């Protein structure tokens, strides 16, 4: 048995209340950035003060340019993430349910999974060229693993009685997969989806850096090469905000969709 | 007309060590259409095993089960099993209403009609007001009743129930017994009911099959000729009720009659 639980990411839950001390520390770090840069002008070309980065963010021309790149990155992210989710969940449910299917693919999975996903970027470039399809493909590949592994794990952990319940009510195999295995494995699937959220952004920006043309990854690297350092930092800030926003959105959806599960775990019934 | 035939059924489980446990051996009995039949027997004698075979969920080692003239080799249509492990059988992601609706959805009932039916059944098992609760918000006995309501909603021709009142208190149990009898009459369902409780079996049934210790066989078939509708007070006080009770006790626990 080589499926493991270590990929089930644990998450520090935010309390939801206004976190004063946390925000104060954040502000202090911003000030540290600002003044350490201000008092050592020699490093300013590489490390401009925070205020200059924020200022450049609000330059209309740069803001417009950044927004364009943001949309490109977001499009690739969404394409890759949702394609990966659809494929990995369907495949994971089948592999989790049918033992022979899993043993057929087990060796391939175990060999490919530990490989750092960025290693396939050159392969993807060779096969797909340097367009959107290549960047999306790489993202799909990388995102699929945590979702796949967690889904398989989730389906395997379903109690036999639950499957038998579907059978006694006359459901066929495929209906059992869709109406019972899928929702019953949902808590595991959601964990995989959460892990893949950040992986997707990593892969999109990385491949944009490698391939160039457009997107926040490309922008960041391009500005660095043109020595527009504060623009580079502005790009980093935008990509960080994008990651933050996506994560918040994910948590909001999860909280709503998985309310039944939260109560279940709270009662210690799992 | 028999609707359910168990013919020479045996089941042995393979143990981890390679040897096998014979859970039931050469069990045969019949249930007629529309009857209420109970199976009683000591814990571990193979009642759940028997029901799982009858529901087509596990394959017997020998013998066969015939439901409506068709040999069982998979879950038969029109037959539903209410599992002993009700808490593992409920859908945690569905509310009480959602769980009960499941039994109607799989039959393709229109949504409006289904909802009405589900609410009626939820009321019948005494869970009104809990429609929007999730199973984990309910006590064990309440969960068990959700599982019963879900199975009844499906309106199977044959209902197999594995100790369905196992974790409800004595008072609720009496109410559920009467509720079940009412529905049984209303729906015309055939019910095979497993219980530890001999008096419950007598109160509910037309016939009782008594199983012996593992590997179990039917050691006694008892016809219950009490009138219907039954009544918790008068039926249980009936002389023939007592007689049946003593007869079964004598068979299953001979030491009781000789005293201590
Ligand atoms: N999946 C299984 N694998 C191996 N042995 C099993 C399995 N299920 C049941 N058994 C064995 O078969 C015998 C009968 O079990 P079963 O669950 O059918 O009894 P039961 O009459 O339903 O008991 P109870 O009244 O306690 O529910 C027991 O000895 C049990 O150990
Ligand atoms: Mg049992």
């Amino acid at each position: 048995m080589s499926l493991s639980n270590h990929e089930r990411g644990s998450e520090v839950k935010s309390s939801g209340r206004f976190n004063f001390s946390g925000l104060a520390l954040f502000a202090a770090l911003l000030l540290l950035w600002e003044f350490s840069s201000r008092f050592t002008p020699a490093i300013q070309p590489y490390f401009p003060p925070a205020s200059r980065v924020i200022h450049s963010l609000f330059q209309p021309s740069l803001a417009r340019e950044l927004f364009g790149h943001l949309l490109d990155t977001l499009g690739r992210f969404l394409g890759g993430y949702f394609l990966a989710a659809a494929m990995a969940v369907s495949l994971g449910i089948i592999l989790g349910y049918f033992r022979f299917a899993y043993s057929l693919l087990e060796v391939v999975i175990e060999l490919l999974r530990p490989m750092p996903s960025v290693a396939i970027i050159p392969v993807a470039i060779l096969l797909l060229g340097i367009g959107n399809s290549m960047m999306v493909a790489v993202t799909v590949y990388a995102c699929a693993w945590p979702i796949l592994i967690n889904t398989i794990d989730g389906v395997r952990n379903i109690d036999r009685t639950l499957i038998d319940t579907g059978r006694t009510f006359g459901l066929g195999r495929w209906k059992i997969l869709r109406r019972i295995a899928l929702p019953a494995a949902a808590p595991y699937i959601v964990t995989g989806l959460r892990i893949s959220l950040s992986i997707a952004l990593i892969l999109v920006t990385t491949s944009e850096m490698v391939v160039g043309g457009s997107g926040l990854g490309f922008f960041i690297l391009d500005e660095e090469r043109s020595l527009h350092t504060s623009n580079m930092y502005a790009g980093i800030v935008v990509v960080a905000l994008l990651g933050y926003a996506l994560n918040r959105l994910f948590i909001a959806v999860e909280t709503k969709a998985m309310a039944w599960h939260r109560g279940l775990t709270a009662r210690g019934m799992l | 007309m028999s609707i359910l035939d168990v013919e020479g059924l045996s089941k042995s489980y393979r143990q981890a060590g390679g040897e096998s446990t014979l859970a039931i051996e050469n069990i045969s009995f019949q249930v007629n259409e529309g009857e209420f039949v109970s199976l009683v027997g000591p814990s571990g004698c193979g009642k759940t095993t028997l029901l799982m075979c009858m529901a087509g969920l596990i394959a017997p080692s020998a013998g066969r089960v015939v439901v409506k003239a068709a040999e069982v080799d998979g879950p038969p249509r029109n037959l539903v099993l209410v599992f002993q492990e009700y808490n593992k059988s409920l859908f945690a992601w569905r509310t009480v209403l959602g769980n009960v609706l499941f039994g109607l959805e799989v039959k393709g009932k229109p949504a409006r009609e289904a909802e009405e039916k589900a609410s009626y059944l939820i009321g019948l098992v005494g869970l009104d007001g809990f429609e929007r609760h999730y199973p984990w918000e309910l006590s064990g006995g309440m969960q068990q009743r959700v599982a019963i309501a879900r199975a009844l909603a499906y309106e199977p021709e044959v209902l197999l129930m594995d100790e369905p009142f196992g974790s409800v208190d004595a008072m609720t149990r009496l109410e559920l017994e009467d509720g079940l009898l009412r529905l049984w009459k209303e729906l015309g369902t055939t019910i095979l009911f497993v219980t530890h409780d001999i008096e419950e079996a007598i109160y509910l049934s037309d016939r009782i099959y008594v199983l012996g210790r593992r590997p179990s066989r039917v050691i006694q078939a008892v016809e219950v000729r009490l009138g219907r509708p039954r009544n918790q007070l008068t039926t249980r006080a009936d002389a023939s009720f007592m007689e049946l009770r003593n007869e079964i006790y004598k068979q299953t626990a001979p030491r009781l009659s000789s005293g201590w």
Side-chain angles (χ1 to χ4, degrees):
Chain A
M1 253 316 295
S2 35
L3 286 180
S4 57
N5 292 347
H6 70 270
E7 286 186 55
R8 207 166 307 140
S10 62
E11 185 200 3
V12 182
K13 292 261 157 45
S14 80
S15 61
R17 262 179 295 134
F18 186 75
N19 183 347
F20 180 78
S21 49
L23 284 173
L25 179 66
F26 178 68
L29 286 173
L30 270 183
L31 287 176
L32 184 69
W33 173 6
E34 176 73 19
F35 288 105
S36 57
S37 168
R38 244 171 225 290
F39 292 137
T40 39
I43 63 163
Q44 279 187 15
Y46 324 107
F47 191 59
S51 57
R52 202 177 301 160
V53 173
I54 294 165
H55 179 75
S56 54
L57 261 179
F58 286 96
Q59 297 293 311
S61 63
L62 185 73
R64 221 173 299 120
E65 196 187 340
L66 266 172
F67 187 66
H69 290 302
L70 172 71
L71 287 186
D72 284 334
T73 298
L74 188 61
R76 290 165 193 149
F77 168 89
L78 292 175
Y81 185 69
F82 283 107
L83 258 174
M87 283 164 39
V89 169
S90 325
L91 185 63
I93 289 200
I94 290 167
L95 293 185
Y97 195 76
F98 299 106
R99 241 155 223 296
F100 69 90
Y102 180 75
S103 48
L104 190 66
L105 289 182
E106 182 177 14
V107 177
V108 178
I109 290 176
E110 289 310 320
L111 284 177
L112 287 181
R113 189 165 67 104
M115 183 184 80
S117 299
V118 286
I120 70 145
I121 291 182
V123 181
I125 293 176
L126 278 180
L127 295 179
L128 298 168
I130 50 166
N132 278 327
S133 56
M134 170 261 154
M135 292 186 258
V136 170
V138 169
T139 308
V140 168
Y141 176 82
C143 285
W145 293 112
I147 306 175
L148 182 72
I149 300 302
N150 278 284
T151 305
I152 293 174
D153 224 9
V155 173
R156 290 222 176 139
N157 271 293
I158 297 174
D159 196 280
R160 182 77 226 166
T161 306
L162 208 54
I163 303 294
D164 280 343
T165 302
R167 293 175 65 205
T168 196
F169 278 97
L171 297 192
R173 277 195 170 164
W174 297 107
K175 279 202 170 148
I176 286 178
L177 289 187
R178 199 162 45 83
R179 305 193 56 160
I180 294 179
L182 179 65
Y188 288 79
I189 295 172
V190 165
T191 302
L193 289 172
R194 193 193 301 122
I195 298 168
S196 287
L197 196 69
S198 42
I199 292 181
L201 204 51
I202 293 171
L203 265 292
V204 171
T205 42
T206 307
S207 49
E208 283 169 350
M209 284 183 180
V210 174
V211 167
S214 75
L216 291 170
F218 159 74
F219 177 85
I220 292 166
L221 197 68
D222 197 44
E223 297 299 295
E224 187 260 333
R225 287 181 176 152
S226 341
L227 298 177
H228 299 147
T229 334
S230 43
N231 287 359
M232 176 196 82
Y233 281 102
I236 295 174
V237 169
V238 171
V239 101
L241 288 176
L242 176 62
Y244 177 79
L246 289 170
N247 199 41
R248 292 311 293 233
L249 190 67
F250 185 91
I251 290 172
V253 173
E254 184 196 356
T255 306
K256 222 170 139 46
M258 301 301 292
W260 63 268
H261 186 248
R262 223 167 284 276
L264 196 66
T265 40
R267 251 194 97 168
M269 284 177 66
L270 279 186
Chain B
M1 249 289 287
S2 91
I3 190 170
L4 209 52
D5 281 279
V6 176
E7 300 170 1
L9 207 71
S10 301
K11 174 71 189 176
S12 59
Y13 288 108
R14 245 200 308 281
Q15 229 62 30
E19 54 200 304
S20 55
T21 322
L22 191 56
I24 53 177
E25 188 177 33
N26 196 16
I27 288 195
S28 300
F29 64 89
Q30 286 191 347
V31 178
N32 294 327
E33 197 159 351
E35 267 185 327
F36 198 122
V37 172
S38 288
L39 283 170
V40 297
S43 183
C45 79
K47 304 181 293 297
T48 297
T49 303
L50 177 56
L51 290 196
M52 295 285 278
C53 288
M54 296 175 74
L57 299 172
I58 57 177
S61 312
R64 58 178 205 154
V65 177
V66 179
V67 177
K68 295 202 81 179
E71 185 169 335
V72 169
D73 65 344
R77 263 177 205 296
N78 301 323
L79 180 149
V80 164
L81 168 63
V82 178
F83 292 85
Q84 185 171 13
E85 293 181 294
Y86 55 90
N87 54 340
K88 292 184 180 166
S89 160
L90 290 178
F91 304 130
W93 58 92
R94 283 172 174 249
T95 59
V96 168
L97 183 65
N99 267 281
V100 178
L101 277 175
F102 177 82
L104 297 148
E105 283 167 17
V106 295
K107 281 198 131 181
K109 276 257 168 28
R112 261 222 69 77
E113 194 187 322
E115 196 132 340
E116 260 169 42
K117 181 93 199 280
S119 304
Y120 166 72
L121 286 167
I122 289 168
L124 199 106
V125 295
L127 289 176
D128 349 52
F130 289 94
E131 287 86 351
R132 308 270 160 217
H133 286 61
Y134 284 100
W136 49 266
E137 294 175 288
L138 309 178
S139 71
M142 292 161 91
Q143 291 175 8
Q144 210 167 26
R145 284 179 268 159
V146 177
I148 294 169
R150 182 178 62 184
L152 290 170
Y154 186 78
E155 291 187 11
E157 288 179 62
V158 180
L159 188 58
L160 310 180
M161 306 180 87
D162 199 351
E163 299 187 36
F165 303 151
S167 56
V168 297
D169 62 280
M171 282 311 295
T172 312
R173 193 165 180 147
L174 298 187
E175 280 171 28
L176 285 175
E177 286 169 8
D178 288 337
L180 183 62
L181 284 180
R182 220 174 315 134
L183 266 167
W184 166 66
K185 188 137 190 271
E186 203 175 291
L187 301 176
T189 311
T190 306
I191 296 183
L192 182 64
F193 188 95
V194 164
T195 176
H196 278 132
D197 183 338
I198 289 170
E199 299 192 17
E200 179 172 74
I202 299 170
Y203 180 73
L204 294 170
S205 314
D206 297 316
R207 189 166 340 103
I208 300 169
Y209 292 110
V210 183
L211 300 179
R213 300 217 163 271
R214 191 174 61 85
S216 62
R217 307 151 178 272
V218 177
I219 56 172
Q220 195 182 16
V222 182
E223 297 289 329
V224 181
R225 288 183 227 283
L226 298 164
R228 292 190 189 268
R230 298 197 176 153
N231 179 293
Q232 292 289 2
L233 299 178
T234 56
T235 304
R236 283 178 192 264
D238 198 298
S240 45
F241 186 97
M242 309 282 193
E243 219 170 275
L244 281 170
R245 202 191 71 159
N246 294 346
E247 193 185 325
I248 297 172
Y249 276 137
K250 240 179 270 170
Q251 278 288 337
T252 51
R255 265 194 296 181
L256 281 184
S257 49
S258 57
W260 288 95

